Amino acid sequence: AIGVGIAYPFDTLSTKAQVSSGKSAEKQANLIQNIKTIWINEGISGFFEGVCVTMIGQAAIKSIQFAVNEITLLYLEANATIQSNLLKMAIAGTLAGLLSSFVVSPIELVKIRMQAQNKSSSNKKDDNHDDSDISSQVYRNDFECAKYLIKHEGWRALFFHGLGITIIREIPSFAFYFVAYGLLARSSFAVQLGNHAAPLVFGALAGWAMWIPTYPADIVKTLVQVQDSKNKNMGPMQITARLYRSGGAKAFFDGLEPKLVRAAVKHAATFWVYEIVMNMLRPISV
């Protein structure tokens, strides 16, 4: 949750870029344009739309992910015949990603709706307005957004709209994430960096390891969840085809730069706090 709050403006910029991906060139905005638009129309608070529900949700999500990873590793160490530490870490990360997806999906649905809203157009709609794109809907806060979503799209949409693509993203993400951190933590670099610097550096690298290969799935997920689930929408495969037609492979990496900055900051803080807590708990459990 701490890492989320620190790095959240970069997440907002990434989502803004993703939402405009696949649109005509004149409707797309680059990083600087997005920063200026948010600042002019909403001020500093615009960079933190959806941060409350995300921080609350991330506390639960990270608890699930790290607990499942640790418990699975302990179980595999004690009971499995698997000798490869790499395979054990991959299995644990895969399970952590799968189980946490059911919490991640509704939290990120609200977050994406908050970040995608366009307050500058709240009082006007152009002729090209697309009812399946709810970015013109404006919410005062995260809880109003969740309430509106439940009222107009239903509880099922909250928990299942975009769940499939979320699972597709989360499983490989956390396999890469925990494997990368586990391998780095067991390397000679851990000793050289020391107990405080190592989690920061390795956490940042683990964040990049999880996001770079799975970012195309993330951009498709954003475009799925930004759609009103009550309308006839495009599915993940249709969105993938549209993105490729509009911009080729490059379109699947729109908004990657701020996402990588966010990932480095967020996951460095996450693993730093995690290691401090675990070092406090481990002596007690011995």
Side-chain angles (χ1 to χ4, degrees), residues 8-30:
Y8 198 79
F10 298 104
D11 189 63
T12 297
L13 291 170
S14 180
T15 299
K16 292 286 190 186
Q18 289 180 335
V19 169
S20 67
S21 184
K23 295 182 179 179
S24 58
E26 62 270 15
K27 290 186 177 182
Q28 288 186 337
N30 59 36

Side-chain angles (χ1 to χ4, degrees), residues 8 21 25 30 81 145 150 164 166 174 205 213 216 219 230-231 235 272:
Y8 198 79
S21 184
N30 59 36
T81 57
C145 177
I150 293 167
T166 299
F174 283 92
L205 293 175
I219 196 169
K230 290 181 70 177
N231 296 327
W272 186 72

Side-chain angles (χ1 to χ4, degrees), residues 123-184:
N123 296 318
K124 60 180 180 179
K125 294 183 180 180
D126 57 36
D127 295 334
N128 296 320
H129 176 68
D130 183 358
D131 289 334
S132 67
D133 185 340
I134 49 74
S135 61
S136 59
Q137 179 65 40
V138 175
Y139 314 99
R140 288 177 295 180
N141 54 56
D142 309 20
F143 303 104
E144 183 181 276
C145 177
K147 183 179 178 181
Y148 179 91
L149 197 155
I150 293 167
K151 180 180 179 180
H152 291 271
E153 298 180 48
W155 284 97
R156 180 178 175 81
L158 178 64
F159 289 100
F160 294 100
H161 184 43
L163 176 61
I165 188 64
T166 299
I167 292 172
I168 290 172
R169 184 197 69 179
E170 293 294 277
I171 286 177
S173 287
F174 283 92
F176 290 131
Y177 185 63
F178 285 115
V179 166
Y181 187 83
L183 291 176
L184 289 167

Side-chain angles (χ1 to χ4, degrees), residues 27 177 189 198-199 208 229 266 273:
K27 290 186 177 182
Y177 185 63
F189 295 112
W208 287 349
S229 62
K266 174 187 173 182
V273 173

